[in-house]
């Protein structure tokens, strides 16, 4: 029996089940049976820039294998090293380099999932051209294991940037931030709290020098830092439209940090409760019903839209 078939059989077709990652973020309810996804790298094709692995594979194991060939998979760079590939995809957590590296969901080319009925479903394909029908890969990313248990995935890999640096610019208030942003060429991150701006530049070593020179030429003195701001002290995060971040930061200078160009805000206070559109809620419910009619997968996990 293949690893995927064994995983499907462990999930079965009845009774509540929790899909266990490494548990670095979420641990399932004690009274719910837990199953673990298959582990291990199946194929790594550096020339094709794809890697296929079990969803239970540890992120640090994946990093190590890709790193040997100067590549990485964009599953969020600041995540817990002991987390799993499945956990990273199921939570769909994007880190602050999303502006340059793109969202985690773009990394997933092919996915094998076990639905609540116990069926194995394949979505996507090992190359972008192979895909037809609805994009199941994107649906699975961020679904917190409520629609399906991710068994095996093929991920797109990328070349590691040769150099990367954080440049910190002080005294950037609301009147100057847009000017600063306009003079940066493809930054990987721009974080701003209304006073200080942290910019991550990745690429060739000369790209970093060009960014620094350009900032200086425009009257922005920058200093290099080993990392971006510590977002750990700001446990709440929420999304607004990318243009709206300027206004939000302006209202709470020094209290929130915005991912400029992305539209994510990090703050120490919870955001206002989102208003959920009834039509959207209805679609989410029907999606859940069709993948997991008995609502047995990951009870209580993730999105408030999927109860
Ligand atoms: C609440 C929360 C906060 C986070 N905060 C941060 C942060 O501050 N910074 C950061 O960089 N990253 C953050 N992340 C992302 C997290 O670090 C990565 O997702 C990491 O890879 C988790 O791996 P894990 O194996 O420990 O997942 P777990 O904590 O074990 O599981 C996370 C969720 O994914 C589900 N899951 C796990 N494996 C599968 C699978 N194979 N199929 C379907 N569902 C599965 C679990 O059931 C659980 O609901 C956060 C994630 C969550 C959920």
């Amino acid at each position: 029996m293949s690893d995927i078939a064994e995983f499907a059989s462990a999930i079965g077709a009845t009774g509540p089940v929790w899909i266990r990652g490494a548990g670095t973020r979420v641990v399932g309810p004690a009274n719910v049976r837990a199953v673990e996804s298959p582990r291990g790298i199946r194929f790594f094709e550096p020339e094709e820039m794809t890697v296929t692995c079990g969803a239970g594979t540890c992120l640090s194991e994946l990093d190590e294998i890709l790193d040997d060939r100067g590549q990485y998979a964009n599953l969020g760079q600041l995540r817990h090293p002991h987390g799993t590939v499945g956990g990273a995809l199921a939570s769909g957590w994007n880190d602050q380099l999303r502006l340059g590296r793109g969202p985690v969901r773009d990394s997933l080319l092919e996915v094998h999932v076990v639905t609540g009925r116990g069926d194995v479903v394949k979505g996507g394909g090992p190359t972008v051209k192979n895909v037809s029908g609805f994009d199941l890969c994107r649906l699975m990313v961020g679904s917190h294991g409520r629609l399906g248990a991710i068994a095996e995935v093929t991920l797109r890999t990328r070349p590691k940037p040769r150099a990367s640096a954080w440049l910190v610019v002080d005294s950037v208030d609301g009147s100057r931030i847009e000017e600063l942003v306009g003079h940066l060429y493809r930054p990987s991150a721009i974080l701003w709290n209304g006073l200080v701006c942290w910019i991550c530049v990745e690429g060739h070593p000369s790209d970093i020098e060009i960014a620094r020179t350009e900032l200086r030429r425009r009257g922005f003195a920058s200093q290099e830092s080993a990392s971006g701001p510590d977002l750990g002290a700001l446990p709440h995060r929420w999304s607004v439209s990318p243009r709206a971040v300027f206004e939000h930061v302006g209202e709470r200078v020094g209290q929130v940090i915005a991912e400029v160009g992305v539209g994510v805000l990090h703050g120490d206070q919870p955001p206002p409760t989102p208003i959920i559109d009834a039509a959207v809620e209805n679609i989410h419910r029907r999606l859940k019903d069709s993948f997991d009619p008995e609502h047995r997968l990951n009870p209580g996990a993730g999105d408030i839209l999927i109860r």
Side-chain angles (χ1 to χ4, degrees):
M1 208 195 275
S2 76
D3 281 357
I4 299 178
E6 267 178 41
F7 182 52
S9 139
I11 288 172
T14 52
V17 176
W18 181 264
I19 302 109
R20 183 160 57 200
T24 62
R25 293 288 173 184
V26 191
V27 180
N31 57 348
V32 173
R33 187 167 61 88
V35 290
E36 288 181 4
S37 308
R39 293 177 192 182
I41 311 286
R42 309 271 179 270
F43 321 100
F44 172 34
E45 299 185 87
E47 292 76 24
E48 296 295 323
M49 306 201 78
T50 60
V51 62
T52 300
C53 63
T57 305
C58 180
L59 289 163
S60 54
E61 182 189 341
L62 178 67
D63 286 346
E64 206 174 301
I65 282 165
L66 301 186
D67 194 53
D68 272 354
R69 300 297 298 262
Q71 297 185 11
Y72 74 99
N74 183 28
L75 296 178
Q77 301 310 300
L78 305 172
R79 67 282 197 281
H80 198 293
H82 298 137
T84 61
V85 170
L89 291 167
S91 56
W93 189 275
N94 293 294
D95 68 21
Q96 64 232 54
L97 302 184
R98 176 184 169 156
L99 179 65
R101 297 189 172 197
V104 161
R105 62 171 180 262
D106 285 357
S107 302
L108 185 59
L109 294 174
E110 183 177 271
V111 66
H112 294 259
V113 288
V114 182
T115 69
R117 291 188 168 90
D119 305 325
V120 178
V121 176
K122 180 176 92 67
T127 66
V128 179
K129 285 170 273 177
N130 284 353
V131 180
S132 63
F134 294 121
D135 192 339
L136 288 186
C137 290
R138 283 177 180 247
L139 194 55
M140 291 301 147
V141 176
S143 66
H144 296 267
R146 301 297 308 275
L147 299 179
I150 305 172
E152 188 174 295
V153 296
T154 298
L155 303 167
R156 183 202 306 276
T157 64
R158 298 177 179 182
K160 290 191 94 164
R162 287 183 52 195
S164 107
W166 282 93
L167 305 177
V168 185
V169 185
D170 288 323
S171 308
V172 185
D173 65 16
S175 67
R176 301 203 73 200
I177 182 68
E178 293 191 60
E179 182 197 348
L180 183 152
V181 170
H183 293 297
L184 293 169
Y185 179 65
R186 300 180 66 176
S188 288
I190 306 171
L191 302 180
W192 179 59
N193 70 355
L195 299 167
V196 182
C197 190
W198 295 261
I199 302 152
C200 179
V201 184
E202 297 183 301
H204 192 271
S206 65
D207 295 332
I208 293 159
E209 202 36 57
I210 289 168
R212 205 183 280 123
T213 309
E214 190 57 23
L215 286 171
R216 201 167 36 238
R217 214 162 68 77
R218 305 282 171 180
F220 295 103
S222 66
Q223 287 186 330
E224 202 161 322
S225 161
S227 61
D230 177 15
L231 296 175
L234 303 174
H236 301 283
R237 60 180 228 165
W238 64 102
S239 295
V240 296
S241 78
R243 279 225 55 84
V245 297
F246 302 117
E247 193 186 313
H248 281 269
V249 174
E251 281 167 9
R252 294 177 63 196
V253 170
Q255 293 174 316
V256 289
I257 296 183
E259 295 182 29
V260 176
V262 175
V264 169
L265 294 162
H266 300 257
D268 56 353
Q269 300 295 323
T273 312
I275 299 162
I276 300 165
D277 185 310
V280 172
E281 188 167 6
N282 194 18
I283 289 174
H284 280 240
R285 200 173 302 286
R286 276 153 50 204
L287 265 173
K288 172 72 176 164
D289 289 345
S290 89
F291 279 88
D292 181 20
E294 290 180 22
H295 292 207
R296 52 186 294 262
L297 297 180
N298 270 15
D303 198 327
I304 53 164
L305 284 174
I306 317 170
R307 280 184 276 258

